[in-house]
């Protein structure tokens, strides 16, 4: 019961065991018989009045103790070659070593969903030096199953993982313990490749090991199940173009073309746009700039494309701990846009493509439009404070035990949550000021949009979809792209502003505050019932039920029987 693999001289159990010790009780058993090979090791964890206090799932990770703690071979210790200074380069935990591990996963209701042999490696950068370390959980055929079979995340359509991560929150480990997941959750609906998240309680060889974030491993398999791709037909690069999977040839061909041609010429820009998803690129940059991630873009860059014809480069969101007012990152006032335009920086390679694209006026305008849309919607205080509330609520009951395990302070953790909330509340206004300054824009105006009748349609902007009353701040001199799209059973009927053409696609470029409504009429003039809203298997909602909302566009009662 010390997590070691049973040997022939281990204690022989001949009577039933009474497991009454509070916590995670690990029992490993093995059959031996003279003249035969030893049987497989059977590992089971029994949770008795144990954490979590809140409604969190539990991982029990079990391995031979020497795999973790042996001075020469343990992956969790400094070992014989560690440098004396943080982050202790040369330490065992900096080596690319994999060790066998038994993995058990219990959902919040106590039901065990995973019990399998696999492998583990220490994961991450400088956060490897923290006492609680991020780890990869790895499935390989040599251990048994070649996949971890469970639908861990409600909002990810996948139930077979070759790897998942248990993350210690990286450099945010001793601060809020949740900056990165909040930033990833803020990207929902933007089309960015982000990592799903669940907070879990972890036991390591039966010892309470605090809370860790269950995350996806963003590799070729992640791209395959998120984008329905062949994982063997992917180019996945990082930093300046170092190859993780596939080849960098296409990327450097693209970059050479951008360097050698004037992208202010739309014909040359279009060549790059055939190789790069420029909207994704702009969206990715706005997200990092808004969050004030100061460990980017000189670090933590990862991008990919499908090798199939027409595959374009897209960027991946990951490792954003140095953001949202992080201790070393700066406050919500930081101008993280202007620093990208510093062409004398030694990290110019990291923004070279961005600067080349900015030579094109159309791309510059699109970047500003996308940023404006997101500051009014996804990055707004109203949208993000509930996200922070939800992440905090998942952690708060178990945080005292976690902090006690790692010598943390509850009051300090609460102060970090306040820093995050303050950042989110104040950041959009400063971001708008930074845009106005960088691009020498004269001012802003209120754009008010609506659809009529309610539920009849929506207005698609560059990076936001409006389906009801909306008012946002936009930049004078940069037009807003808008397209009116009818819902089923309706047709577009025009705009409330008679000065506009009746085309469903418009560019609004007013000189002051402006209000307009997209008008729709029922098809055929008959009674119309529209599917107005639908909630199925919600991942984050105080209303956890499935439901649909039907809208009757007319005045008469309609019998749905």
């Amino acid at each position: 019961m010390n997590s070691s693999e049973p040997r022939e001289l281990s204690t022989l159990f001949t009577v039933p065991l009474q497991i009454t010790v509070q916590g995670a009780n690990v029992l490993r058993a093995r059959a031996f018989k003279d003249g035969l090979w030893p049987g497989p090791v059977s590992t089971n964890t029994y949770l008795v009045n144990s954490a979590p206090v809140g409604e969190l799932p539990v991982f029990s990770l079990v391995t031979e103790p020497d795999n973790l703690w042996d001075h020469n071979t343990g992956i969790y210790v400094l070992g014989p070659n560690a440098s004396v200074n943080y982050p202790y380069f040369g330490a065992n935990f900096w080596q690319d070593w994999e060790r066998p591990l038994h993995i058990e996963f219990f959902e919040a209701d106590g039901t065990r969903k995973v019990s399998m042999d696999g492998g583990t490696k220490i994961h991450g950068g400088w956060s490897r030096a923290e006492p609680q370390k991020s780890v990869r959980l790895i499935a390989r055929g040599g251990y048994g199953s070649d996949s971890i079979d469970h639908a861990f995340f409600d909002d990810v359509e996948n139930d077979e993982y070759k790897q998942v991560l248990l993350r210690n929150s990286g450099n945010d480990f001793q601060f809020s313990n949740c900056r990165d997941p909040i930033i990833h959750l803020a990207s929902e609906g933007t089309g960015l490749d982000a990592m799903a998240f669940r907070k879990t309680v972890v036991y390591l060889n039966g010892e309470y090991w605090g809370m860790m974030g269950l995350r996806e491993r963003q590799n070729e398999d992640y791209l395959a199940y998120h984008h329905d791709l062949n994982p063997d037909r992917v180019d996945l690069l990082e930093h300046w173009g170092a190859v993780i999977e596939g080849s960098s040839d296409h990327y450097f061909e693209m970059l050479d073309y951008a360097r050698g041609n004037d992208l202010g010429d739309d014909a040359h820009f279009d060549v790059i746009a055939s190789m790069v998803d420029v909207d994704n690129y702009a969206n990715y940059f706005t997200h990092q700039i808004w969050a004030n991630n100061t460990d980017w873009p000189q670090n933590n860059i990862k991008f990919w494309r499908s090798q199939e014809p027409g595959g374009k480069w897209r960027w991946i969101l990951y490792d954003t701990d140095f953001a949202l007012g992080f201790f070393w990152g700066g406050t919500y006032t930081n101008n993280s846009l202007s620093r990208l335009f510093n062409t004398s920086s030694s990290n110019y390679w990291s923004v070279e493509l961005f600067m080349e694209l900015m030579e094109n006026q159309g791309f510059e305008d699109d970047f500003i439009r996308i940023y404006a849309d997101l500051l009014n919607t996804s990055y707004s205080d109203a949208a993000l404070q509930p996200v922070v509330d939800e992440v905090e609520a998942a952690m708060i009951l178990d945080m005292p035990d976690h902090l006690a395990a790692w010598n943390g302070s509850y009051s300090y953790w609460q102060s970090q949550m306040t820093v995050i909330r303050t950042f989110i509340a104040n950041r959009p206004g400063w971001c708008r000021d930074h845009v106005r300054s960088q691009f020498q824009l004269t001012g802003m105006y209120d754009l008010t949009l609506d659809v009529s009748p309610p539920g009849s349609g929506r207005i698609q902007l560059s990076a936001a979809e409006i389906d009801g009353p909306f008012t946002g701040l936009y930049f004078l001199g940069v037009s807003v792209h808008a397209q009116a799209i009818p819902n089923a059973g309706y047709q577009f009927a025009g705009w409330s502003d008679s000065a506009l053409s009746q085309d469903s696609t418009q560019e609004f470029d007013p000189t002051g505050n402006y209000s307009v409504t997209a008008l729709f009429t029922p098809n055929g003039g008959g009674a119309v019932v529209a599917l107005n809203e639908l909630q199925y298997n919600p991942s984050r909602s105080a209303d956890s039920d499935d439901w649909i909302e039907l809208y009757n566009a007319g005045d008469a009662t309609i019998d749905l029987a």
Side-chain angles (χ1 to χ4, degrees):
M1 297 181 69
N2 65 355
S3 299
S4 295
E5 293 189 359
R7 295 169 176 81
E8 214 165 351
L9 297 179
S10 299
T11 303
L12 179 65
F13 289 99
T14 58
V15 296
L17 287 172
Q18 288 291 112
I19 299 177
T20 59
V21 178
Q22 182 172 330
N25 295 268
V26 175
L27 179 63
R28 310 194 84 181
R30 195 175 198 180
F32 294 89
K33 185 177 177 63
D34 290 343
L36 298 177
W37 289 105
V41 176
S42 176
T43 304
N44 288 279
T45 302
Y46 301 90
L47 304 174
V48 179
N49 296 327
S50 57
V53 179
E55 296 182 357
L56 295 180
V58 173
F59 273 98
S60 175
L61 310 177
V62 181
T63 188
E64 186 75 28
D66 282 352
N67 290 332
L68 301 172
W69 313 118
D70 181 81
H71 180 67
N72 294 303
T73 62
I75 63 173
Y76 226 93
V77 298
L78 289 166
N81 300 310
S83 62
V84 296
N85 297 319
Y86 187 93
Y88 316 115
F89 291 122
N92 289 10
F93 50 72
W94 276 103
Q95 309 309 312
D96 187 27
W97 293 347
E98 182 173 327
R99 297 290 183 261
L101 180 81
H102 187 79
I103 304 164
E104 289 177 275
F105 177 77
F106 301 83
E107 280 290 0
D109 63 1
T111 305
R112 188 173 71 176
K113 295 296 187 179
V114 175
S115 180
M116 62 178 289
D117 292 326
T120 189
K121 291 183 176 184
I122 304 297
H123 176 83
W126 282 34
S127 64
R128 292 168 182 252
E130 299 293 350
Q132 185 198 54
K133 307 182 193 308
S134 301
V135 295
R136 301 177 199 170
L137 305 183
I138 303 165
R140 297 190 195 280
Y143 296 118
S145 175
D146 61 0
S147 63
I148 306 171
D149 297 335
H150 183 57
F152 289 107
F153 307 104
D154 289 340
D155 50 354
V156 177
E157 294 183 4
N158 186 52
D159 58 5
E160 295 182 4
Y161 296 86
K162 293 186 177 180
Q163 296 186 31
V164 293
L165 303 179
L166 286 175
R167 198 168 184 270
N168 66 353
S169 290
N171 297 104
D172 193 33
F173 169 68
Q174 299 181 43
F175 298 89
S176 79
N177 213 251
C178 64
R179 280 182 166 87
D180 186 70
I182 288 172
I183 291 169
H184 283 249
L185 291 169
S187 75
E188 285 190 1
T190 66
L192 291 178
D193 288 316
M195 286 190 285
F197 164 78
R198 290 181 76 183
K199 209 67 170 178
T200 70
V201 163
V202 176
Y203 287 91
L204 183 60
N205 280 356
E207 182 179 353
Y208 175 76
W209 214 246
M211 289 186 292
M212 301 187 79
L214 174 62
R215 313 298 295 272
E216 297 170 279
R217 171 87 167 127
Q218 289 172 314
N219 55 16
E220 68 276 14
D221 298 310
Y222 165 95
L223 298 173
Y225 66 75
H226 273 282
H227 295 280
D228 193 24
L229 301 173
N230 180 348
D232 297 324
R233 296 278 297 161
V234 167
D235 294 329
L236 177 61
L237 312 181
E238 63 182 346
H239 304 309
W240 48 266
V243 175
I244 300 174
E245 295 290 336
S247 167
S248 61
D249 291 349
H250 184 277
Y251 176 74
F252 285 111
E253 289 171 8
M254 176 275 297
L255 205 55
D256 284 343
Y257 189 93
R259 290 166 175 158
N261 294 278
D262 177 13
L263 298 193
D265 183 333
D266 285 346
H268 291 308
F269 177 86
D270 289 344
V271 173
I272 297 300
S274 72
M275 306 169 81
V276 173
D277 186 334
V278 292
D279 286 343
N280 167 266
Y281 191 67
N283 198 328
Y284 168 78
F285 264 70
T286 65
H287 205 73
Q288 299 276 16
I289 295 165
W290 158 77
N292 188 39
N293 181 10
T294 55
D295 200 19
W296 173 93
Q298 73 282 0
N299 196 15
N300 299 320
I301 301 177
K302 193 180 289 187
F303 43 102
W304 69 276
R305 76 170 191 111
S306 167
Q307 294 174 357
E308 301 303 331
K312 296 184 180 184
W313 290 103
R314 294 173 54 91
W315 275 255
I316 293 174
L317 189 65
Y318 83 107
D319 201 349
T320 59
D321 305 302
F322 272 68
L324 298 185
F326 182 67
F327 179 72
W328 295 314
T331 70
Y332 54 80
T333 66
N334 273 31
N335 191 340
S336 42
L337 174 62
S338 65
R339 71 185 179 93
L340 302 181
F341 288 82
N342 180 8
T343 56
S344 63
S345 168
S346 61
N347 297 312
Y348 180 68
W349 61 268
S350 65
V351 296
E352 182 181 12
L353 177 59
F354 181 72
M355 294 300 295
E356 294 288 352
L357 292 171
M358 277 292 174
E359 293 296 316
N360 185 274
Q361 187 62 51
F363 178 81
E364 179 183 303
D365 289 347
D366 283 342
F367 173 84
I368 295 170
R369 291 184 190 102
I370 289 170
Y371 204 2
D373 282 347
L374 293 174
L375 288 170
N376 287 317
T377 55
S378 296
Y379 306 157
S380 70
D381 188 52
L384 288 182
Q385 293 296 353
V387 175
V388 179
D389 291 343
E390 182 188 345
V391 172
E392 182 183 52
M395 303 165 60
I396 196 165
L397 294 179
D398 287 275
M399 188 54 76
D401 287 342
H402 173 85
L403 293 170
W406 305 112
N407 299 315
S409 162
Y410 189 82
S411 62
Y412 184 71
W413 172 69
Q414 287 182 311
S415 75
Q416 286 295 299
M417 298 306 297
T418 299
V419 168
I420 291 173
R421 286 191 167 88
T422 302
F423 182 99
I424 287 170
N426 291 278
R427 183 63 172 167
W430 286 92
C431 289
R432 293 183 179 107
D433 287 346
H434 300 155
V435 170
R436 288 174 58 189
S437 174
Q438 183 65 50
F439 299 107
Q440 300 180 5
L441 303 175
T442 58
M444 308 202 69
Y445 68 95
D446 286 336
L447 175 63
T448 298
L449 302 173
D450 204 352
V451 297
S452 180
S456 59
R458 56 204 185 275
I459 301 173
Q460 180 64 57
L461 305 180
S462 295
E465 187 175 89
I466 309 303
D467 60 4
F470 164 85
T471 298
L473 280 167
Y474 285 86
F475 298 97
L476 290 170
V478 180
S479 64
V480 173
H481 291 173
Q483 181 183 11
I485 303 172
N487 287 339
Y490 288 88
Q491 59 187 356
F492 175 67
W495 299 93
S496 61
D497 183 352
S498 59
L500 295 175
S501 74
Q502 295 309 295
D503 193 327
S504 63
T505 300
Q506 295 288 335
E507 287 198 21
F508 305 134
D509 193 12
T511 57
N513 295 342
Y514 181 67
S515 178
V516 68
T517 298
L519 308 175
F520 302 92
T521 56
N523 286 326
V528 172
V529 176
L531 176 59
N532 196 36
E533 291 186 71
L534 180 148
Q535 176 164 281
Y536 170 69
N537 197 17
S539 59
R540 291 204 319 273
S541 176
D543 178 1
S544 60
D545 295 327
D546 298 339
W547 50 264
I548 62 172
E549 178 181 287
L550 302 178
Y551 175 74
N552 176 5
D555 296 326
T557 300
I558 299 176
D559 185 358
L560 297 178

